[in-house]
Amino acid sequence: MARLHLFDLDGTLLHGSSAPVEISRQLGLESETVALDQEIAAGLISPPEYAQRVHALWADLTEAHVAAAFDGAPWLGRIRDVWAEIRRAGDYCAVVSLSPSFFVARLTAWGAHAAHGSRFPAVPFTEPVDPAGVLSAAAKVLIADRLCQEFGVTRADCVAYGDSSSDRDLFGVVPVSVAVNADHHLAALATHSYTGRDLWDAYELVRTAR
Protein backbone atom coordinates (compact mmCIF):
# COMPACT_ATOMS: atom_id res chain seq x y z
CA MET A 1 0.00 0.00 0.00
CA ALA A 2 1.27 3.45 -0.89
CA ARG A 3 1.89 6.01 1.84
CA LEU A 4 1.05 9.71 1.96
CA HIS A 5 3.68 11.97 3.54
CA LEU A 6 2.17 15.22 4.86
CA PHE A 7 4.57 18.11 5.47
CA ASP A 8 4.02 21.29 7.43
CA LEU A 9 5.85 24.35 6.09
CA ASP A 10 6.60 26.98 8.74
CA GLY A 11 9.25 25.80 11.18
CA THR A 12 9.30 22.39 9.49
CA LEU A 13 10.46 22.70 5.88
CA LEU A 14 11.53 26.25 6.76
CA HIS A 15 14.12 26.24 9.53
CA GLY A 16 13.38 28.74 12.29
CA SER A 17 11.15 30.88 10.13
CA SER A 18 7.78 31.13 8.44
CA ALA A 19 6.61 32.04 4.96
CA PRO A 20 5.00 35.29 6.21
CA VAL A 21 8.24 36.34 7.90
CA GLU A 22 10.24 35.63 4.74
CA ILE A 23 7.71 37.56 2.64
CA SER A 24 7.69 40.47 5.07
CA ARG A 25 11.48 40.61 5.10
CA GLN A 26 11.30 41.64 1.44
CA LEU A 27 9.17 44.63 2.46
CA GLY A 28 11.19 45.64 5.51
CA LEU A 29 8.41 44.41 7.81
CA GLU A 30 10.07 41.37 9.37
CA SER A 31 9.79 42.47 13.01
CA GLU A 32 6.07 43.18 12.69
CA THR A 33 5.43 39.70 11.34
CA VAL A 34 7.66 37.98 13.89
CA ALA A 35 5.46 39.62 16.52
CA LEU A 36 2.35 38.26 14.82
CA ASP A 37 3.91 34.78 14.69
CA GLN A 38 4.49 34.99 18.43
CA GLU A 39 0.90 36.07 19.02
CA ILE A 40 -0.63 33.22 17.05
CA ALA A 41 1.76 30.68 18.60
CA ALA A 42 0.64 31.85 22.03
CA GLY A 43 -3.03 31.56 21.05
CA LEU A 44 -3.60 35.29 21.38
CA ILE A 45 -4.98 35.66 17.86
CA SER A 46 -6.80 33.26 15.54
CA PRO A 47 -5.59 32.15 12.09
CA PRO A 48 -8.17 34.36 10.32
CA GLU A 49 -7.09 37.42 12.34
CA TYR A 50 -3.45 36.63 11.61
CA ALA A 51 -4.19 36.37 7.88
CA GLN A 52 -6.05 39.67 7.84
CA ARG A 53 -3.24 41.46 9.64
CA VAL A 54 -0.44 40.18 7.39
CA HIS A 55 -2.61 40.93 4.37
CA ALA A 56 -2.80 44.54 5.58
CA LEU A 57 0.98 44.65 6.03
CA TRP A 58 1.49 43.42 2.45
CA ALA A 59 -0.33 46.25 0.65
CA ASP A 60 2.72 46.78 -1.61
CA LEU A 61 3.52 43.11 -2.20
CA THR A 62 4.45 42.01 -5.72
CA GLU A 63 5.22 38.67 -7.36
CA ALA A 64 8.88 39.70 -7.42
CA HIS A 65 8.82 39.99 -3.62
CA VAL A 66 7.23 36.55 -3.30
CA ALA A 67 9.78 34.96 -5.63
CA ALA A 68 12.67 36.55 -3.74
CA ALA A 69 11.21 35.40 -0.41
CA PHE A 70 10.84 31.84 -1.66
CA ASP A 71 14.30 31.67 -3.21
CA GLY A 72 16.02 33.19 -0.18
CA ALA A 73 14.16 31.29 2.55
CA PRO A 74 16.05 29.04 5.01
CA TRP A 75 14.85 25.72 3.62
CA LEU A 76 15.94 22.41 5.09
CA GLY A 77 18.44 20.55 2.97
CA ARG A 78 17.52 17.89 0.41
CA ILE A 79 13.78 18.54 0.28
CA ARG A 80 13.65 17.78 -3.43
CA ASP A 81 15.71 14.63 -2.93
CA VAL A 82 13.26 13.36 -0.33
CA TRP A 83 10.26 14.05 -2.49
CA ALA A 84 11.91 12.42 -5.50
CA GLU A 85 12.58 9.33 -3.41
CA ILE A 86 8.99 9.30 -2.13
CA ARG A 87 7.77 9.39 -5.73
CA ARG A 88 10.25 6.69 -6.77
CA ALA A 89 8.90 4.45 -4.02
CA GLY A 90 5.37 4.89 -5.35
CA ASP A 91 4.29 7.02 -2.40
CA TYR A 92 2.78 10.52 -2.28
CA CYS A 93 3.91 13.78 -0.68
CA ALA A 94 1.92 16.90 0.07
CA VAL A 95 2.39 20.18 1.93
CA VAL A 96 -0.43 21.42 4.17
CA SER A 97 0.23 24.80 5.76
CA LEU A 98 -1.59 27.73 7.33
CA SER A 99 0.66 30.06 5.28
CA PRO A 100 -0.58 31.83 2.14
CA SER A 101 -1.49 29.61 -0.79
CA PHE A 102 0.47 31.78 -3.25
CA PHE A 103 3.69 30.84 -1.42
CA VAL A 104 2.87 27.22 -0.55
CA ALA A 105 1.82 26.36 -4.11
CA ARG A 106 5.34 26.99 -5.36
CA LEU A 107 6.43 23.72 -3.73
CA THR A 108 4.71 21.64 -6.38
CA ALA A 109 7.60 22.64 -8.66
CA TRP A 110 9.92 20.91 -6.17
CA GLY A 111 8.04 17.62 -6.46
CA ALA A 112 5.12 17.77 -4.04
CA HIS A 113 2.03 16.04 -5.42
CA ALA A 114 -0.12 18.72 -3.76
CA ALA A 115 0.39 21.92 -1.77
CA HIS A 116 -2.41 23.51 0.24
CA GLY A 117 -2.25 26.82 2.10
CA SER A 118 -4.63 29.46 3.38
CA ARG A 119 -6.49 30.98 0.44
CA PHE A 120 -5.26 34.51 -0.25
CA PRO A 121 -6.18 36.78 -3.18
CA ALA A 122 -3.75 37.01 -6.07
CA VAL A 123 -0.70 39.24 -5.74
CA PRO A 124 -0.69 42.24 -5.99
CA PHE A 125 -3.76 42.45 -3.77
CA THR A 126 -6.88 44.13 -5.10
CA GLU A 127 -9.32 42.46 -2.70
CA PRO A 128 -9.40 41.43 0.97
CA VAL A 129 -8.54 38.01 2.31
CA ASP A 130 -11.57 35.80 2.94
CA PRO A 131 -11.47 34.47 6.54
CA ALA A 132 -13.38 31.37 5.39
CA GLY A 133 -10.39 30.35 3.27
CA VAL A 134 -7.87 30.52 6.12
CA LEU A 135 -6.74 27.12 7.37
CA SER A 136 -6.53 25.91 10.97
CA ALA A 137 -5.14 22.90 12.79
CA ALA A 138 -8.48 21.13 12.32
CA ALA A 139 -8.55 22.03 8.63
CA LYS A 140 -5.25 20.23 8.15
CA VAL A 141 -7.01 16.98 9.08
CA LEU A 142 -9.86 17.68 6.66
CA ILE A 143 -7.39 18.35 3.85
CA ALA A 144 -5.44 15.21 4.73
CA ASP A 145 -8.67 13.21 4.46
CA ARG A 146 -9.39 14.71 1.03
CA LEU A 147 -5.87 13.88 -0.12
CA CYS A 148 -6.26 10.32 1.16
CA GLN A 149 -9.36 9.96 -0.97
CA GLU A 150 -7.63 11.49 -3.97
CA PHE A 151 -4.61 9.18 -3.74
CA GLY A 152 -6.48 6.04 -2.70
CA VAL A 153 -4.99 5.69 0.78
CA THR A 154 -6.29 5.97 4.34
CA ARG A 155 -5.18 7.77 7.49
CA ALA A 156 -3.44 4.54 8.47
CA ASP A 157 -1.12 5.04 5.49
CA CYS A 158 -0.10 8.60 6.41
CA VAL A 159 3.10 10.04 7.85
CA ALA A 160 2.96 13.61 9.23
CA TYR A 161 5.87 16.01 9.70
CA GLY A 162 5.44 19.15 11.81
CA ASP A 163 6.81 21.41 14.50
CA SER A 164 4.06 23.25 16.35
CA SER A 165 0.58 23.30 17.84
CA SER A 166 -0.96 23.63 14.37
CA ASP A 167 0.17 20.04 13.77
CA ARG A 168 -1.31 18.54 16.94
CA ASP A 169 -4.62 17.50 15.39
CA LEU A 170 -2.93 15.82 12.44
CA PHE A 171 -0.42 14.02 14.65
CA GLY A 172 -3.37 12.70 16.64
CA VAL A 173 -5.01 10.90 13.71
CA VAL A 174 -2.06 9.34 11.85
CA PRO A 175 0.01 6.36 13.05
CA VAL A 176 3.44 7.75 12.19
CA SER A 177 4.65 11.30 12.82
CA VAL A 178 7.93 13.19 12.93
CA ALA A 179 8.42 16.23 15.15
CA VAL A 180 10.89 18.37 13.20
CA ASN A 181 12.79 20.95 15.26
CA ALA A 182 9.75 20.99 17.54
CA ASP A 183 9.38 21.86 21.20
CA HIS A 184 8.81 19.12 23.76
CA HIS A 185 5.03 19.52 23.69
CA LEU A 186 4.71 18.34 20.10
CA ALA A 187 7.66 15.94 20.32
CA ALA A 188 5.82 14.09 23.07
CA LEU A 189 2.97 13.39 20.63
CA ALA A 190 5.19 12.21 17.79
CA THR A 191 6.42 8.69 17.07
CA HIS A 192 9.79 10.14 15.99
CA SER A 193 11.69 13.36 16.64
CA TYR A 194 14.36 15.10 14.58
CA THR A 195 16.52 18.15 15.21
CA GLY A 196 18.66 19.48 12.38
CA ARG A 197 18.78 21.09 8.97
CA ASP A 198 18.38 18.12 6.56
CA LEU A 199 14.99 16.70 5.61
CA TRP A 200 16.54 13.48 4.36
CA ASP A 201 17.71 12.66 7.89
CA ALA A 202 14.17 13.21 9.20
CA TYR A 203 12.74 11.09 6.40
CA GLU A 204 15.18 8.26 7.17
CA LEU A 205 13.50 7.88 10.57
CA VAL A 206 10.31 6.70 8.87
CA ARG A 207 11.51 5.58 5.46
CA THR A 208 10.82 1.90 6.15
CA ALA A 209 8.11 2.32 8.80
CA ARG A 210 4.78 0.84 7.79
Side-chain angles (χ1 to χ4, degrees), residues 31-116:
S31 61
E32 290 88 340
T33 308
V34 168
L36 287 177
D37 277 3
Q38 292 170 344
E39 287 187 55
I40 194 170
L44 300 177
I45 58 176
S46 66
E49 183 179 353
Y50 178 96
Q52 290 172 324
R53 288 172 67 178
V54 294
H55 177 273
L57 284 176
W58 296 340
D60 297 324
L61 188 65
T62 67
E63 276 293 335
H65 290 130
V66 177
F70 187 91
D71 293 342
W75 299 102
L76 289 193
R78 296 197 283 180
I79 293 174
R80 281 170 279 195
D81 292 342
V82 169
W83 292 350
E85 174 60 21
I86 287 171
R87 284 176 170 267
R88 187 205 62 77
D91 292 338
Y92 302 97
C93 53
V95 181
V96 185
S97 170
L98 274 60
S99 275
S101 51
F102 60 77
F103 189 96
V104 181
R106 289 173 173 264
L107 288 166
T108 57
W110 283 14
H113 287 91
H116 293 269

Side-chain angles (χ1 to χ4, degrees), residues 111 127 156 159 210:
E127 57 189 81
V159 182
R210 293 285 174 176

